[in-house]
Amino acid sequence: MIKKLKQHQDDFDLLISKVSSLKELKQLRSEFLGKKGCVSLMLNEMRSLPDDQKPQAGKHINEFKQSVATLIQEKTQVFEKAFDQTSVNSEEFDTTLPGRRNSSGSIHPVTQIMDEIISIFFSLGFKVEEGPEIESDFYNFEALNIPKDHPARDMQDTFYIGNDVLRTHTSPVQIHVMENQKPPLRIIAPGKVFRCDSDVSHTPMFHQIEGLMVDENLSFGDLKGVMNIFLHEIFGQQTKTRFRPSFFPFTCPSAEVDIECVMCSGKGCQVCSKTGWLEILGCGMVDPAVFKSVNYDSERWLGFAFGLGIERIAMLKYRINDIRLFFENDLRFLKQF
Ligand code: DAH
């Protein structure tokens, strides 16, 4: 029995030293440790030994079984590690696959319209001014002839920051400019404005352009002329416009300007609420109370001002029905412009 065991041990030592793959190792394991392997056979044979020899033989067989199992286990780990490495090294690289491209960006539609509007007014002699997005009550309301308790304050759902506000319109830039510059002047002020409002046609932040011209002998006719030139440039020369009397605390007289509906050409549709007209901007002659708050002599100087929402113009021009699309940053939407 001991002799046989010695022979098996020698066989195993030789075989395991020659093993060159996981497959061969598996086979070796079944030859020695499997159900019909040599260890099982020897344990069977052991039963026929005389009782006094059994413990001794059992001990040797078990030791042999242990050592075979350990060596196979060790060798398996060595092979597995080597296999992982070679599979990484030899991984096929398919040079025919298309590469990953960086998609190129595009100018945001709101910025595009803003740039277009700026260049139209630039050609009419207006220069660009900017103002802060956080304003005091004075600049956002008071100096624009919107005193406390004035109902016009309710028209704009204001975000308050302590005593200050997020500007609800770009009109306060008028005040900053007139405080710092002497007339005559022509400015436009593009920028972000904020109102606590959100639905298909409102977002809490949107963009406006404010315009202001101050000179001697300005008339409502000049305002009309400038607005018409602007609207014809943006929407096309055939676009019909109309001026409707309106009210703004900072202009008098005030008007709202409509264009003939771009969707139905004035026939009446859902977009224009069956009126055939779309409201585009507010404007008017600067109220003398505003000149007074910046110490301009309203006996000598006249002015006109206007304000418009950029997203609204972009929506009409590109036929977009939900303002929120501008701010979702979905590349499929943004790439179309
Ligand atoms: N500030 C106004 C608004 O946000 C727009 C506006 C209307 C500006 C008339 C003006 C103007 O300068 O004259 O609704």
Side-chain angles (χ1 to χ4, degrees):
M1 186 82 195
I2 301 291
K3 236 191 198 166
K4 234 183 191 171
L5 203 55
K6 177 83 181 70
Q7 183 60 48
H8 283 316
Q9 180 75 64
D10 290 347
D11 289 349
F12 179 75
D13 289 347
L14 183 68
L15 287 168
I16 196 148
S17 71
K18 287 187 178 161
V19 154
S20 65
S21 70
L22 273 172
K23 202 175 155 199
E24 284 174 24
L25 207 51
K26 243 183 172 170
Q27 197 167 342
L28 195 61
R29 165 189 278 277
S30 87
E31 267 173 40
F32 280 80
L33 303 176
K35 263 189 200 152
K36 289 177 187 159
C38 77
V39 169
S40 301
L41 291 178
M42 289 212 306
L43 286 169
N44 272 337
E45 281 172 28
M46 186 189 76
R47 290 202 190 103
S48 55
L49 285 177
D51 278 353
D52 64 334
Q53 289 179 25
K54 277 182 189 164
Q56 182 76 354
K59 191 175 165 241
H60 284 302
I61 297 171
N62 271 327
E63 277 169 9
F64 174 62
K65 184 181 170 184
Q66 275 306 322
S67 81
V68 166
T70 311
L71 283 168
I72 289 183
Q73 173 69 16
E74 279 171 16
K75 199 96 188 191
T76 306
Q77 277 173 5
V78 171
F79 275 125
E80 278 175 354
K81 221 171 169 184
F83 178 77
D84 284 352
Q85 200 51 48
T86 44
S87 67
V88 169
N89 292 344
S90 68
E91 201 145 283
E92 292 269 307
F93 183 73
D94 185 350
T95 49
T96 65
L97 281 175
R100 280 193 205 134
R101 271 166 213 268
N102 286 336
S103 51
S104 60
S106 56
I107 298 186
H108 193 281
V110 168
T111 310
Q112 286 186 37
I113 293 287
M114 189 126 94
D115 290 346
E116 195 177 338
I117 297 174
I118 290 172
S119 80
I120 294 169
F121 282 106
F122 185 77
S123 71
L124 294 170
F126 288 72
K127 68 177 190 192
V128 174
E129 292 286 350
E130 281 179 13
E133 288 169 5
I134 298 174
E135 284 286 14
S136 65
D137 187 275
F138 174 78
Y139 287 99
N140 197 74
F141 295 122
E142 206 82 28
L144 288 162
N145 198 28
I146 316 175
K148 294 216 163 52
D149 307 322
H150 193 284
R153 287 201 182 197
D154 283 348
M155 285 160 52
Q156 308 187 349
D157 307 281
T158 312
F159 285 115
Y160 287 88
I161 305 177
N163 290 327
D164 293 332
V165 299
L166 287 181
R167 68 179 177 193
T168 57
H169 49 181
T170 40
S171 303
V173 183
Q174 284 187 29
I175 306 299
H176 290 291
V177 168
M178 289 192 284
E179 276 181 344
N180 295 312
Q181 296 177 33
K182 289 196 164 19
L185 52 86
R186 289 178 214 192
I187 61 106
I188 51 167
K192 293 183 169 70
V193 300
F194 307 85
R195 293 184 196 180
C196 187
D197 206 352
S198 182
D199 58 37
V200 284
S201 51
H202 298 90
T203 43
M205 184 284 295
F206 60 102
H207 298 81
Q208 284 190 335
I209 289 196
E210 182 77 15
L212 172 71
M213 176 165 178
V214 180
D215 211 326
E216 289 165 321
N217 302 320
L218 270 185
S219 71
F220 199 91
D222 295 308
L223 169 60
K224 257 185 114 168
V226 170
M227 293 299 98
N228 276 331
I229 290 172
F230 160 65
L231 291 170
H232 289 147
E233 284 293 327
I234 279 276
F235 290 107
Q237 296 301 326
Q238 315 77 356
T239 308
K240 290 199 183 104
T241 63
R242 91 178 169 184
F243 288 68
R244 257 183 308 109
S246 185
F247 171 81
F248 298 100
F250 30 88
T251 44
C252 187
S254 302
E256 278 174 301
V257 184
D258 300 336
I259 57 166
E260 194 175 73
C261 181
V262 292
M263 308 289 175
C264 63
S265 308
K267 289 183 198 76
C269 67
Q270 254 185 338
V271 175
C272 60
S273 308
K274 304 241 172 345
T275 62
W277 295 94
L278 296 165
E279 183 195 317
I280 287 291
L281 58 84
C283 61
M285 303 306 289
V286 177
D287 193 292
V290 174
F291 280 155
K292 190 161 174 245
S293 69
V294 294
N295 291 320
Y296 272 19
D297 177 4
S298 56
E299 295 294 318
R300 178 173 174 202
W301 301 106
L302 284 161
F304 66 72
F306 52 91
L308 53 98
I310 297 176
E311 283 80 0
R312 180 161 168 79
I313 302 228
M315 284 170 81
L316 294 171
K317 208 172 145 118
Y318 298 131
R319 291 155 208 240
I320 295 161
N321 55 16
D322 188 337
I323 190 174
R324 293 169 295 197
L325 288 166
F326 288 121
F327 306 112
E328 280 168 5
N329 285 338
D330 184 334
L331 291 179
R332 291 167 303 178
F333 170 78
L334 295 175
K335 269 188 182 156
Q336 297 174 57
F337 303 95

